[in-house]
Amino acid sequence: MDNHPSDIALADLEQAINYWRNLRPSRGEERSLSPEVNRLAEVYALMIYERLQSLPLARIGPDALALIEAWRAKRV
C-alpha cells in the first residue's frame, strides 16, 4: 500500500511487476523479460540497492512511471 500518492512502496512495485508479467510474460528460450517488466525491474533494483521501502515517483523515468500509472488505474 502506498505511503503517499507521489511515492511507490516496494510491495506495490512488486505487484505492478507481477501485473505486467501476467500481461507480457517472459518469451523465447532465454525467457527474456518483456520491455515493460524490464523497465520496472530497473526501478526495483534501485530500491533494493538503496534499501528503500518507498520511492518518490519524481525519481522514476517517464516510461516506468507510465507503467506504474497504468497498473494503478487497473487496480482501482
Side-chain angles (χ1 to χ4, degrees), residues 18-65:
N18 287 331
Y19 169 81
W20 285 104
R21 284 180 62 214
N22 286 330
L23 284 180
R24 300 284 312 267
S26 300
R27 61 187 188 276
E29 287 183 31
E30 66 283 350
R31 306 303 292 166
S32 297
L33 296 176
S34 69
E36 295 86 355
V37 173
N38 196 43
R39 295 260 190 298
L40 294 177
E42 291 170 358
V43 177
Y44 186 82
L46 172 70
M47 291 180 74
I48 295 299
Y49 181 76
E50 293 186 11
R51 298 182 178 165
L52 301 173
Q53 290 302 307
S54 66
L55 182 70
L57 294 177
R59 289 191 60 192
I60 298 173
D63 292 342
L65 185 57

